[in-house]
Amino acid sequence: MKEENVKQVVNRGSKELLVGTIVGSVVGVATALLVAPKSGKELRASIQDQANQALAKTGQVKESVYAKGQDLKQRTARISQVVSEQSVQVVNKVKSLRPSTEELEAAATIERTEVEEETIGEVPTLEAESQIKQELENIETEVNELEQSVEEVK
């Protein structure tokens, strides 16, 4: 998930939680008013107490949601940094696997020489191919790990 999407999800969840808290408080106060057999003075005092409690709980919920949002933001930033660093490493490994022009020319010269001499035996490029295959397997493993990390973040 992108950081913007995470912020939207956190903001939406915060808003929904706040709305739910307020609606629940209003319903609770209304219910208390309807079923309370108290005098007007006692009823007003009770309403004031309940309003103060609802306000305190709303403040606590707000602080909790804000703290969790900050924690999520920090975790997302760390994961993003790790993914970025691993991506750079993968790109560098792929670049290192790409043979240079000099290496290609040298390989072509060797191959031409071998063909001309009609030598029988193992071609030296087989060793290079096995090394490249091994590096590709390593890169695939790292890519799979990156994908798993991204899935865990989601």
Side-chain angles (χ1 to χ4, degrees):
M1 285 183 123
K2 292 184 178 178
E3 189 172 335
E4 296 169 2
N5 292 340
V6 172
K7 287 181 182 178
Q8 289 175 350
V9 169
V10 171
N11 287 338
R12 184 176 49 206
S14 300
K15 289 177 185 176
E16 291 174 359
L17 183 63
L18 184 59
V19 168
T21 302
I22 291 171
V23 169
S25 298
V26 169
V27 169
V29 168
T31 303
L33 288 174
L34 295 174
V35 297
K38 296 180 182 179
S39 68
K41 191 174 195 177
E42 291 174 344
L43 187 58
R44 284 190 297 272
S46 176
I47 291 172
Q48 183 65 39
D49 288 342
Q50 289 178 4
N52 289 338
Q53 288 175 359
L55 190 60
K57 286 181 182 179
T58 302
Q60 291 171 349
V61 168
K62 176 185 168 191
E63 290 174 8
S64 174
V65 167
Y66 181 77
K68 288 180 181 180
Q70 291 298 320
D71 181 48
L72 182 62
K73 181 179 177 182
Q74 290 172 351
R75 287 178 49 205
T76 304
R78 284 193 305 258
I79 290 170
S80 174
Q81 182 181 5
V82 167
V83 168
S84 176
E85 289 171 358
Q86 289 179 351
S87 297
V88 168
Q89 290 175 356
V90 167
V91 167
N92 289 338
K93 282 190 177 185
V94 168
K95 284 182 180 178
S96 71
L97 290 176
R98 196 179 305 161
S100 69
T101 305
E102 294 169 355
E103 290 173 337
L104 289 174
E105 289 174 1
T109 303
I110 290 171
E111 193 170 328
R112 259 187 261 122
T113 304
E114 288 178 351
V115 169
E116 289 171 359
E117 295 175 358
E118 297 180 0
T119 58
I120 299 176
E122 192 174 331
V123 179
T125 57
L126 289 179
E127 183 179 62
E129 286 181 51
S130 66
Q131 289 176 346
I132 290 173
K133 286 180 182 178
Q134 181 63 38
E135 284 295 324
L136 285 174
E137 290 174 3
N138 291 342
I139 289 171
E140 287 176 352
T141 302
E142 290 181 14
V143 168
N144 289 337
E145 291 173 359
L146 283 173
E147 289 174 348
Q148 290 174 353
S149 296
V150 169
E151 288 298 321
E152 291 175 4
V153 169
K154 289 181 181 178

Coordinates of all heavy atoms in Angstrom, one line a residue, residues 89-133:
Q89 N 19.5 -3.3 -4.3 CA 20.4 -4.4 -4.3 C 20.1 -5.4 -5.4 O 21.0 -5.9 -6.1 CB 20.3 -5.2 -2.9 CG 20.9 -4.4 -1.8 CD 20.7 -5.1 -0.5 OE1 20.1 -6.2 -0.4 NE2 21.3 -4.6 0.6
V90 N 18.8 -5.6 -5.7 CA 18.4 -6.5 -6.8 C 18.9 -5.9 -8.1 O 19.4 -6.6 -9.0 CB 16.9 -6.7 -6.7 CG1 16.4 -7.4 -8.0 CG2 16.5 -7.6 -5.6
V91 N 18.6 -4.6 -8.3 CA 19.1 -3.9 -9.5 C 20.6 -4.0 -9.7 O 21.0 -4.3 -10.8 CB 18.6 -2.4 -9.5 CG1 19.3 -1.6 -10.6 CG2 17.1 -2.3 -9.6
N92 N 21.3 -3.8 -8.7 CA 22.8 -3.9 -8.8 C 23.2 -5.3 -9.1 O 24.1 -5.5 -9.9 CB 23.4 -3.4 -7.5 CG 23.3 -1.9 -7.3 OD1 23.1 -1.2 -8.2 ND2 23.4 -1.5 -6.0
K93 N 22.6 -6.3 -8.5 CA 22.9 -7.7 -8.8 C 22.6 -8.0 -10.3 O 23.4 -8.7 -11.0 CB 22.2 -8.7 -7.9 CG 22.8 -8.7 -6.6 CD 22.3 -9.9 -5.7 CE 23.0 -9.9 -4.4 NZ 22.5 -11.1 -3.6
V94 N 21.5 -7.5 -10.8 CA 21.1 -7.8 -12.2 C 22.1 -7.1 -13.1 O 22.5 -7.7 -14.1 CB 19.7 -7.3 -12.5 CG1 19.4 -7.2 -13.9 CG2 18.6 -8.2 -11.7
K95 N 22.5 -5.9 -12.7 CA 23.5 -5.2 -13.5 C 24.8 -5.9 -13.5 O 25.5 -5.9 -14.6 CB 23.7 -3.7 -13.0 CG 22.6 -2.8 -13.4 CD 22.8 -1.4 -12.9 CE 21.7 -0.4 -13.3 NZ 21.9 0.9 -12.8
S96 N 25.2 -6.5 -12.4 CA 26.4 -7.2 -12.3 C 26.4 -8.5 -13.1 O 27.4 -9.0 -13.6 CB 26.8 -7.5 -10.9 OG 26.0 -8.5 -10.3
L97 N 25.2 -9.0 -13.3 CA 25.1 -10.2 -14.1 C 25.2 -10.0 -15.6 O 25.6 -10.8 -16.4 CB 23.7 -10.9 -13.8 CG 23.6 -11.5 -12.5 CD1 22.2 -12.1 -12.3 CD2 24.6 -12.6 -12.3
R98 N 24.8 -8.8 -16.0 CA 24.9 -8.4 -17.4 C 26.3 -8.3 -17.9 O 27.1 -7.6 -17.3 CB 24.2 -7.0 -17.6 CG 23.9 -6.7 -19.0 CD 23.2 -5.4 -19.2 NE 22.0 -5.3 -18.3 CZ 21.5 -4.1 -18.0 NH1 22.0 -3.0 -18.4 NH2 20.4 -4.1 -17.3
P99 N 26.7 -9.1 -18.9 CA 28.1 -9.2 -19.3 C 28.5 -7.9 -20.0 O 27.7 -7.3 -20.7 CB 28.2 -10.4 -20.2 CG 26.8 -10.6 -20.6 CD 25.9 -10.1 -19.6
S100 N 29.7 -7.4 -19.8 CA 30.2 -6.2 -20.5 C 30.6 -6.6 -21.9 O 30.7 -7.7 -22.3 CB 31.4 -5.7 -19.8 OG 32.5 -6.6 -19.9
T101 N 30.8 -5.5 -22.7 CA 31.1 -5.7 -24.1 C 32.4 -6.5 -24.2 O 32.6 -7.4 -25.1 CB 31.3 -4.4 -24.8 OG1 30.1 -3.6 -24.6 CG2 31.5 -4.5 -26.3
E102 N 33.4 -6.2 -23.4 CA 34.7 -6.9 -23.4 C 34.5 -8.4 -23.1 O 35.1 -9.2 -23.8 CB 35.6 -6.2 -22.4 CG 36.0 -4.8 -22.7 CD 36.7 -4.1 -21.6 OE1 36.9 -4.7 -20.5 OE2 37.2 -3.0 -21.8
E103 N 33.7 -8.7 -22.1 CA 33.4 -10.1 -21.8 C 32.8 -10.8 -23.0 O 33.1 -12.0 -23.3 CB 32.6 -10.2 -20.6 CG 33.3 -9.7 -19.3 CD 32.3 -9.7 -18.1 OE1 31.1 -9.6 -18.3 OE2 32.8 -9.8 -17.0
L104 N 31.8 -10.1 -23.6 CA 31.1 -10.8 -24.8 C 32.1 -11.0 -25.9 O 32.1 -12.1 -26.6 CB 30.0 -9.9 -25.3 CG 28.8 -9.8 -24.3 CD1 27.8 -8.8 -24.9 CD2 28.1 -11.2 -24.2
E105 N 33.0 -10.0 -26.2 CA 34.0 -10.2 -27.3 C 34.9 -11.3 -26.9 O 35.3 -12.1 -27.8 CB 34.7 -8.9 -27.5 CG 33.9 -7.8 -28.1 CD 34.6 -6.4 -28.2 OE1 35.8 -6.3 -27.8 OE2 34.0 -5.5 -28.7
A106 N 35.4 -11.4 -25.7 CA 36.3 -12.4 -25.3 C 35.6 -13.8 -25.4 O 36.2 -14.7 -25.9 CB 36.7 -12.2 -23.8
A107 N 34.4 -13.9 -25.0 CA 33.6 -15.1 -25.1 C 33.5 -15.5 -26.6 O 33.6 -16.7 -26.9 CB 32.3 -15.0 -24.4
A108 N 33.2 -14.6 -27.4 CA 33.0 -14.8 -28.9 C 34.4 -15.3 -29.5 O 34.4 -16.2 -30.3 CB 32.5 -13.6 -29.6
T109 N 35.5 -14.7 -29.1 CA 36.8 -15.1 -29.6 C 37.1 -16.5 -29.1 O 37.6 -17.3 -29.9 CB 37.8 -14.1 -29.0 OG1 37.5 -12.8 -29.4 CG2 39.2 -14.5 -29.5
I110 N 36.8 -16.8 -27.9 CA 37.1 -18.2 -27.4 C 36.3 -19.2 -28.1 O 36.8 -20.2 -28.6 CB 36.8 -18.2 -25.9 CG1 37.8 -17.4 -25.1 CG2 36.8 -19.7 -25.4 CD1 37.5 -17.3 -23.6
E111 N 35.0 -18.8 -28.3 CA 34.1 -19.8 -29.0 C 34.6 -20.0 -30.5 O 34.6 -21.1 -31.0 CB 32.7 -19.2 -29.0 CG 31.7 -20.3 -29.5 CD 30.3 -19.8 -29.2 OE1 30.0 -19.0 -28.2 OE2 29.4 -20.2 -30.0
R112 N 35.0 -18.9 -31.1 CA 35.5 -19.0 -32.5 C 36.7 -19.9 -32.6 O 36.9 -20.7 -33.4 CB 35.8 -17.6 -33.1 CG 34.7 -17.1 -34.0 CD 35.1 -15.8 -34.7 NE 34.5 -14.7 -33.9 CZ 35.2 -13.7 -33.3 NH1 36.5 -13.6 -33.5 NH2 34.5 -12.8 -32.7
T113 N 37.6 -19.7 -31.6 CA 38.8 -20.4 -31.6 C 38.5 -21.9 -31.4 O 39.1 -22.8 -32.0 CB 39.7 -19.9 -30.4 OG1 40.0 -18.5 -30.6 CG2 41.1 -20.6 -30.4
E114 N 37.6 -22.2 -30.5 CA 37.3 -23.6 -30.2 C 36.6 -24.2 -31.4 O 36.9 -25.4 -31.7 CB 36.3 -23.7 -29.0 CG 37.0 -23.4 -27.7 CD 36.0 -23.4 -26.6 OE1 34.8 -23.5 -26.8 OE2 36.5 -23.4 -25.4
V115 N 35.8 -23.5 -32.1 CA 35.1 -24.1 -33.3 C 36.2 -24.3 -34.4 O 36.2 -25.3 -35.1 CB 34.0 -23.1 -33.8 CG1 33.5 -23.6 -35.2 CG2 32.9 -23.1 -32.8
E116 N 37.1 -23.4 -34.5 CA 38.1 -23.5 -35.6 C 39.0 -24.7 -35.3 O 39.5 -25.4 -36.2 CB 38.9 -22.2 -35.7 CG 38.2 -21.1 -36.3 CD 38.9 -19.7 -36.2 OE1 40.0 -19.7 -35.6 OE2 38.3 -18.7 -36.7
E117 N 39.4 -24.9 -34.1 CA 40.3 -25.9 -33.7 C 39.5 -27.3 -33.6 O 40.2 -28.3 -33.5 CB 41.0 -25.6 -32.4 CG 41.9 -24.4 -32.5 CD 42.4 -24.1 -31.1 OE1 42.1 -24.7 -30.1 OE2 43.2 -23.1 -31.0
E118 N 38.2 -27.2 -33.6 CA 37.4 -28.4 -33.4 C 37.8 -29.2 -32.2 O 38.0 -30.4 -32.4 CB 37.3 -29.2 -34.7 CG 36.8 -28.5 -35.9 CD 36.8 -29.3 -37.1 OE1 37.2 -30.5 -37.1 OE2 36.3 -28.8 -38.2
T119 N 37.9 -28.6 -31.2 CA 38.3 -29.3 -30.0 C 37.1 -29.9 -29.3 O 36.0 -29.4 -29.5 CB 39.0 -28.3 -28.9 OG1 38.0 -27.3 -28.6 CG2 40.3 -27.8 -29.4
I120 N 37.3 -31.0 -28.7 CA 36.2 -31.7 -28.1 C 36.4 -31.6 -26.6 O 37.5 -31.7 -26.0 CB 36.3 -33.2 -28.4 CG1 36.1 -33.4 -29.9 CG2 35.2 -34.0 -27.6 CD1 36.2 -34.8 -30.4
G121 N 35.4 -31.2 -25.9 CA 35.5 -31.1 -24.4 C 34.4 -30.1 -24.0 O 33.6 -29.6 -24.7
E122 N 34.5 -29.8 -22.8 CA 33.5 -28.9 -22.2 C 33.8 -27.5 -22.5 O 34.9 -27.1 -22.4 CB 33.5 -29.1 -20.6 CG 32.3 -28.5 -20.0 CD 32.2 -28.8 -18.5 OE1 32.7 -29.9 -18.1 OE2 31.7 -28.0 -17.8
V123 N 32.8 -26.8 -22.9 CA 33.0 -25.4 -23.2 C 33.0 -24.5 -22.0 O 32.2 -24.7 -21.1 CB 31.8 -24.9 -24.1 CG1 31.9 -23.4 -24.5 CG2 31.7 -25.7 -25.4
P124 N 34.0 -23.6 -21.9 CA 34.2 -22.9 -20.6 C 33.0 -22.0 -20.3 O 32.8 -21.7 -19.1 CB 35.4 -22.0 -20.9 CG 36.1 -22.6 -22.0 CD 35.1 -23.4 -22.8
T125 N 32.1 -21.7 -21.3 CA 31.0 -20.8 -20.9 C 29.9 -21.6 -20.1 O 29.1 -20.9 -19.6 CB 30.4 -20.3 -22.2 OG1 30.0 -21.4 -23.1 CG2 31.3 -19.4 -23.0
L126 N 30.0 -22.9 -20.1 CA 29.0 -23.6 -19.3 C 29.1 -23.3 -17.8 O 28.2 -23.2 -17.1 CB 29.2 -25.2 -19.5 CG 28.8 -25.7 -20.8 CD1 29.0 -27.2 -20.9 CD2 27.3 -25.4 -21.1
E127 N 30.4 -23.1 -17.4 CA 30.6 -22.7 -16.0 C 30.0 -21.3 -15.7 O 29.3 -21.1 -14.7 CB 32.1 -22.7 -15.7 CG 32.4 -22.3 -14.2 CD 33.9 -22.3 -14.0 OE1 34.6 -21.5 -14.6 OE2 34.3 -23.1 -13.1
A128 N 30.2 -20.4 -16.7 CA 29.6 -19.1 -16.5 C 28.1 -19.1 -16.5 O 27.4 -18.4 -15.8 CB 30.1 -18.1 -17.7
E129 N 27.5 -20.0 -17.4 CA 26.1 -20.2 -17.4 C 25.5 -20.7 -16.1 O 24.5 -20.2 -15.6 CB 25.7 -21.1 -18.6 CG 25.8 -20.5 -19.9 CD 25.4 -21.5 -21.0 OE1 24.3 -22.1 -20.9 OE2 26.1 -21.7 -21.9
S130 N 26.2 -21.6 -15.5 CA 25.7 -22.2 -14.2 C 25.8 -21.1 -13.1 O 25.0 -21.0 -12.3 CB 26.5 -23.4 -13.8 OG 27.9 -23.1 -13.6
Q131 N 26.8 -20.2 -13.2 CA 27.0 -19.2 -12.2 C 25.8 -18.2 -12.4 O 25.2 -17.7 -11.5 CB 28.3 -18.4 -12.4 CG 29.5 -19.2 -11.9 CD 30.8 -18.5 -12.1 OE1 30.9 -17.6 -12.9 NE2 31.9 -19.0 -11.5
I132 N 25.5 -17.9 -13.7 CA 24.4 -16.9 -14.0 C 23.1 -17.5 -13.5 O 22.3 -16.8 -12.9 CB 24.4 -16.6 -15.5 CG1 25.6 -15.7 -15.8 CG2 23.1 -15.9 -15.8 CD1 25.7 -15.5 -17.3
K133 N 22.9 -18.8 -13.7 CA 21.7 -19.5 -13.3 C 21.5 -19.4 -11.8 O 20.5 -19.2 -11.2 CB 21.6 -20.9 -13.8 CG 21.3 -21.1 -15.2 CD 21.3 -22.5 -15.7 CE 21.0 -22.7 -17.1 NZ 21.0 -24.1 -17.6

